Amino acid sequence: MSKPVQSLGEAFASTAYPLIGHSRRNVNVLLESFNSIDGEQFSDMYGNGAVIEEFQSQIADELGMETAVFFPTGTMAQQIALRIWCDEIGINQVAYHPLCHLEIHEEDGLKELHHIHPILLANSSRLITLQDIQSIDQEIACLLLELPQREMGGQLPAFEELVAISAYCRAKGIKLHLDGARLFEITPYYKKSAAEICSLFDSVYVSFYKGIGGIAGAMLLGSKEFTTKSKVWKRRHGGDLISLYPYIISSQYYYNQRIDKMERYYNEAVELAAMYNQCPGINTRPEVPVSNMFHVHFEIEIDKLEPILIDIYEQTGVGLISYLVDEEGLRCRTEISIGERYREVPLDILREALALLGEKLEKATKHKSEQGE
Amino acid sequence: MSKPVQSLGEAFASTAYPLIGHSRRNVNVLLESFNSIDGEQFSDMYGNGAVIEEFQSQIADELGMETAVFFPTGTMAQQIALRIWCDEIGINQVAYHPLCHLEIHEEDGLKELHHIHPILLANSSRLITLQDIQSIDQEIACLLLELPQREMGGQLPAFEELVAISAYCRAKGIKLHLDGARLFEITPYYKKSAAEICSLFDSVYVSFYKGIGGIAGAMLLGSKEFTTKSKVWKRRHGGDLISLYPYIISSQYYYNQRIDKMERYYNEAVELAAMYNQCPGINTRPEVPVSNMFHVHFEIEIDKLEPILIDIYEQTGVGLISYLVDEEGLRCRTEISIGERYREVPLDILREALALLGEKLEKATKHKSEQGE
């Protein structure tokens, strides 16, 4: 009897040890975070009320920023940050990396809604350097840096380079904005507090559903004047919901639970990437992770890799990866983010799964070269 | 011993019988709606997945529209609707009532983000008529009608007038958009189904936290082509959250529970407005409600009315109203929305509270006229 064909995602979801992230994205994520909440707790009302103000104050304090505003999404928060800086400086031009979220994941909202023109610095194979910024031959209101650069596997500049970029921007009157979707996740590598990193920036966005593992939600931080303006734009965007508490309470719950685990996630990412790099035809990017994330690049076609992975999931119970992205029909890649699930996998079983992957890839590659391909 | 000074809102909140709306806006509203939900229920993912698609289909079916898209807010949904129609027609001009939500509650998002110019029809004391529309001497892409007109106490045109407006707009190539924040609430008065009302419009927005009493959330409905475009704009606005299920599940729960109670809420609003109109110096707007809402106008200063109301709350346990808005230091007003709470108040106690209000107002007025004021 032949088994029904399973997708990689389905096979991953049915393993005993799925390796990525914190948990399944199901309703229990919400319910767990509300377990210890008093049902009489009053809702926030259009951005006001204890439930939102206390969490905003907590994060502002921890990031060493004057004020914070909770937003439904980073997409909204970051467009608004750039708009405020453009309006303040009086220039409708900013600079960022060509792989930044605003450029590739937001349907050009920045251009279509705010008429802000981005200058793209560096390219898909390297990070923005101080020299790139010094070479801009047009006026810009703001430079956006994403730390770590997610679409490059989560890479970081040296902290000294950041300091130099910040000093240069301040001297030139260029506002510096941090896309900190994964800010909490980089503090162990930099050996800096989030506040030390944020002190280099004029405005900061952080997310609560990446390393923190909340349901959704973001914050935008900056001076009182900056965040006051951001609330007006939040309403204009349609982001000033009467109640945001389902996201606020869950964000705060998982923040408090996981903020001190970022070093563990980072160390585990380094450990797992090293195991992947032992396998023939596999490279991680970066080779040694600098946060809880990295990309895995496979020198094999997606159609050949998928059945190999599903086999391994069935043999070992380890769900190594949940999806693959094709690269020109020749190679493929995936993204790994380490969260609570990683340490649920016994290390010997994980090693077995990766050893099996190495063997199967070697066989597939050998077969390929014997065929003279 | 003197009692601590209480605000009207605090006094209202501590009554045994608060009369307005469905319940306190607390976390229990969320928790109740998740009581019967399987914790393993998978999240929606950026607008896809069973939890969002099934509810969108349900509402599209019930409103007789081709497709529906869930939005975090009506502010976002409606700006997007007008933008789509303006782009399609190639005219950056629309028409609506000067008291419509976009004009007075959205920090001019329509103008600041979409550069759409509104032509204001009618005025704060009357609804838009067919004649107003026929008299527009400039080209417009879209006419927005709000049913009922909330800021006028929730007033409605005759259904025949709506039919005539719809026919005129279709003949002239003007798109007709419905601000149906309180659409479900007007079906009993019109004696029409929501679908019959929607059939007059090209696009429709409905809300799930007014008469329905959800936590937040809205839907935008129209043709497949229209809603497909709206999803692109939703992402641009930052409204395409990875998970919207806390709002979707609660909206669907309260929709299913209350959609058949709209006639009761409407009848109760008519009953309560009649009681208010018995009191000297009180008028409701409209005099006879046409939905579950109306405004109450008091011919007395806010500072004099508040202690009278607080007295009544303490004597009878009935929380008549929760807030007052000053009108030129001479009069004041409030808004009443009927929901589940109304029938929890025994009718004799409610009558007693309103009789007491009448007496106290009569005394206050008499005192005023005796003083020759």
Side-chain angles (χ1 to χ4, degrees):
Chain A
M1 273 173 58
S2 67
K3 283 189 275 185
V5 178
Q6 241 188 343
S7 76
L8 185 62
E10 288 165 351
F12 172 85
S14 60
T15 58
Y17 302 116
L19 207 62
I20 316 293
H22 295 292
S23 68
R24 289 177 73 93
R25 287 195 64 85
N26 62 23
V27 164
N28 280 328
V29 179
L30 179 75
L31 298 181
E32 182 192 326
S33 70
F34 274 77
N35 262 344
S36 57
I37 298 293
D38 178 5
E40 297 293 323
Q41 162 75 55
F42 204 65
S43 171
D44 54 310
M45 291 289 285
Y46 296 114
N48 299 308
V51 68
I52 187 166
E53 288 166 19
E54 282 171 14
F55 188 40
Q56 289 174 167
S57 294
Q58 178 189 353
I59 300 298
D61 284 352
E62 296 193 14
L63 300 196
M65 304 293 281
E66 194 180 357
T67 47
V69 177
F70 194 90
F71 274 81
T73 64
T75 296
M76 192 183 292
Q78 295 207 103
Q79 285 181 29
I80 287 173
L82 298 191
R83 174 63 182 261
I84 291 169
W85 294 137
C86 282
D87 283 355
E88 181 164 323
I89 309 285
I91 298 167
N92 266 16
Q93 204 152 242
V94 297
Y96 54 53
H97 194 276
L99 294 180
C100 98
H101 197 273
L102 291 99
E103 190 64 15
I104 63 176
H105 290 306
E106 304 183 5
E107 296 280 3
D108 280 339
L110 187 73
K111 300 162 199 168
E112 296 286 340
L113 288 170
H114 294 285
H115 306 283
I116 293 174
H117 174 70
I119 295 172
L120 305 181
L121 302 180
N123 58 52
S124 58
S125 60
R126 67 170 183 84
L127 296 173
I128 294 172
T129 62
L130 175 59
Q131 208 190 329
D132 292 320
I133 303 158
Q134 289 169 332
S135 307
I136 301 173
D137 57 2
Q138 297 167 69
E139 285 195 302
I140 57 167
C142 179
L143 170 69
L144 178 149
L145 290 183
E146 182 187 350
L147 303 179
Q149 197 80 47
R150 184 247 181 125
E151 298 293 342
M152 291 176 61
Q155 298 190 37
L156 285 176
F159 193 75
E160 297 66 38
E161 175 118 25
L162 271 190
V163 172
I165 289 172
S166 173
Y168 178 82
C169 287
R170 279 189 189 162
K172 294 285 179 185
I174 298 168
K175 298 294 180 182
L176 191 56
H177 172 78
L178 171 58
D179 178 340
R182 292 163 183 81
L183 168 65
F184 308 120
E185 295 87 321
I186 62 172
T187 54
Y189 172 77
Y190 273 149
K191 299 190 197 306
K192 303 283 178 192
S193 68
E196 284 172 297
I197 300 167
C198 290
S199 71
L200 304 174
F201 293 85
D202 297 293
S203 55
V204 171
Y205 139 69
V206 292
S207 171
F208 296 106
Y209 69 94
K210 277 84 180 189
I212 300 297
I215 296 165
M219 269 193 210
L220 185 61
L221 300 101
S223 70
K224 176 86 182 147
E225 189 189 344
F226 172 84
T227 54
T228 299
K229 286 179 186 164
S230 81
K231 289 180 185 177
V232 174
W233 283 107
K234 181 181 169 187
R235 172 151 291 212
R236 288 175 178 153
H237 265 253
D240 193 20
L241 281 69
I242 183 168
S243 297
L244 279 165
Y245 71 81
Y247 300 129
I248 295 165
I249 288 173
S250 49
S251 292
Q252 190 169 26
Y253 174 83
Y254 290 110
Y255 177 87
N256 291 339
Q257 194 170 84
R258 293 174 182 156
I259 191 63
D260 292 330
K261 295 184 176 171
M262 293 298 154
E263 182 145 17
R264 190 182 100 196
Y265 302 155
Y266 159 61
N267 289 331
E268 290 168 343
V270 170
E271 178 180 88
L272 181 61
M275 288 189 232
Y276 269 115
N277 284 316
Q278 295 284 320
C279 298
I282 296 184
N283 292 289
T284 69
R285 188 189 196 199
E287 191 184 341
V288 180
V290 293
S291 71
N292 73 324
M293 75 164 288
F294 59 92
H295 284 184
V296 189
H297 291 263
F298 300 90
E299 292 290 332
I300 184 173
E301 300 94 310
I302 197 167
D303 291 347
K304 291 190 179 152
L305 182 55
E306 277 197 356
I308 290 175
L309 287 170
I310 293 173
D311 253 15
I312 295 169
Y313 298 178
E314 286 173 354
Q315 276 189 58
T316 65
V318 181
L320 291 169
I321 63 181
S322 61
Y323 71 95
L324 287 168
V325 179
D326 174 64
E327 292 192 324
E328 297 167 348
L330 299 169
R331 295 171 299 279
C332 55
R333 68 167 193 277
T334 193
E335 182 173 291
I336 305 280
S337 296
I338 299 297
E340 286 300 304
R341 279 167 156 178
Y342 184 84
R343 77 163 33 187
E344 291 166 14
V345 192
L347 194 57
D348 57 332
I349 298 183
L350 176 58
R351 287 196 192 284
E352 183 198 334
L354 280 155
L356 215 53
L357 178 62
E359 280 169 34
K360 285 174 185 280
L361 284 176
E362 189 149 28
K363 206 179 286 176
T365 318
K366 202 174 161 193
H367 181 68
K368 199 171 164 182
S369 66
E370 276 172 0
Q371 285 187 328
E373 281 179 15
Chain B
M1 272 174 60
S2 69
K3 282 190 274 183
V5 178
Q6 243 189 342
S7 76
L8 186 62
E10 287 165 351
F12 173 85
S14 60
T15 57
Y17 303 115
L19 207 61
I20 317 292
H22 295 293
S23 68
R24 289 177 73 94
R25 287 195 63 85
N26 62 22
V27 164
N28 280 328
V29 179
L30 179 76
L31 298 180
E32 181 190 327
S33 69
F34 275 77
N35 263 342
S36 56
I37 298 293
D38 178 6
E40 300 291 324
Q41 161 74 55
F42 205 64
S43 172
D44 54 309
M45 292 288 285
Y46 296 113
N48 299 307
V51 68
I52 187 166
E53 287 166 21
E54 281 171 15
F55 188 40
Q56 288 174 168
S57 294
Q58 177 189 352
I59 299 298
D61 283 354
E62 296 194 14
L63 299 197
M65 304 294 281
E66 195 179 356
T67 48
V69 177
F70 193 90
F71 273 82
T73 63
T75 296
M76 192 184 293
Q78 296 207 104
Q79 284 182 30
I80 288 172
L82 298 190
R83 175 63 181 261
I84 292 169
W85 294 138
C86 282
D87 283 357
E88 180 163 324
I89 308 285
I91 298 168
N92 266 15
Q93 203 152 246
V94 298
Y96 54 53
H97 194 276
L99 294 180
C100 98
H101 198 272
L102 293 99
E103 190 64 15
I104 63 175
H105 291 306
E106 304 183 5
E107 295 280 4
D108 280 338
L110 187 72
K111 300 163 199 169
E112 296 287 340
L113 288 170
H114 294 285
H115 306 283
I116 292 174
H117 174 70
I119 295 173
L120 305 181
L121 301 180
N123 58 52
S124 58
S125 61
R126 67 170 182 84
L127 297 173
I128 294 171
T129 62
L130 175 59
Q131 208 189 330
D132 293 319
I133 303 158
Q134 288 169 331
S135 306
I136 301 172
D137 57 2
Q138 299 167 68
E139 283 195 302
I140 57 168
C142 179
L143 170 69
L144 177 149
L145 290 183
E146 182 187 350
L147 303 179
Q149 197 80 47
R150 185 249 182 127
E151 299 292 344
M152 290 176 60
Q155 297 190 39
L156 285 176
F159 194 75
E160 297 65 39
E161 175 117 25
L162 271 189
V163 172
I165 289 173
S166 173
Y168 178 81
C169 288
R170 277 184 191 166
K172 294 286 178 182
I174 299 167
K175 298 294 181 182
L176 191 57
H177 173 78
L178 171 58
D179 178 339
R182 294 164 182 80
L183 167 65
F184 308 120
E185 294 87 323
I186 63 173
T187 54
Y189 172 76
Y190 273 148
K191 299 190 197 305
K192 303 283 178 192
S193 69
E196 284 172 296
I197 299 167
C198 290
S199 70
L200 303 174
F201 293 85
D202 297 293
S203 54
V204 171
Y205 139 69
V206 292
S207 170
F208 296 106
Y209 69 93
K210 278 84 180 189
I212 299 297
I215 297 165
M219 269 193 208
L220 185 61
L221 301 100
S223 70
K224 176 87 181 146
E225 188 189 344
F226 172 85
T227 54
T228 300
K229 286 178 186 165
S230 81
K231 289 180 184 176
V232 174
W233 283 107
K234 181 181 169 187
R235 172 152 291 212
R236 287 175 178 154
H237 266 253
D240 193 20
L241 281 69
I242 183 168
S243 297
L244 279 165
Y245 71 81
Y247 299 126
I248 295 164
I249 287 173
S250 48
S251 293
Q252 191 170 24
Y253 174 82
Y254 290 110
Y255 178 87
N256 291 339
Q257 194 169 85
R258 294 175 182 156
I259 191 62
D260 292 331
K261 296 185 176 172
M262 294 298 154
E263 181 144 18
R264 190 182 100 197
Y265 302 154
Y266 159 61
N267 289 332
E268 289 168 343
V270 170
E271 178 180 88
L272 180 61
M275 288 189 235
Y276 270 114
N277 285 315
Q278 295 285 320
C279 299
I282 297 184
N283 292 289
T284 69
R285 189 188 194 200
E287 192 184 339
V288 180
V290 293
S291 71
N292 73 325
M293 76 165 288
F294 58 93
H295 285 184
V296 188
H297 292 262
F298 300 90
E299 293 290 332
I300 184 172
E301 301 95 310
I302 196 167
D303 291 346
K304 291 190 179 155
L305 182 55
E306 277 197 358
I308 290 175
L309 288 170
I310 293 173
D311 253 15
I312 294 169
Y313 298 179
E314 286 174 355
Q315 276 189 58
T316 64
V318 180
L320 290 170
I321 63 181
S322 61
Y323 71 94
L324 287 168
V325 179
D326 174 64
E327 292 193 322
E328 298 167 348
L330 299 170
R331 296 171 298 281
C332 55
R333 69 167 192 276
T334 193
E335 182 173 291
I336 305 279
S337 296
I338 300 297
E340 286 300 303
R341 279 168 157 179
Y342 184 83
R343 77 164 34 188
E344 291 167 15
V345 191
L347 194 57
D348 57 333
I349 298 182
L350 175 58
R351 287 195 194 283
E352 183 198 332
L354 281 156
L356 215 53
L357 178 62
E359 280 168 35
K360 285 173 186 279
L361 285 176
E362 190 150 26
K363 206 180 287 179
T365 319
K366 202 174 160 193
H367 181 68
K368 201 171 164 181
S369 65
E370 277 172 1
Q371 286 187 326
E373 280 178 19

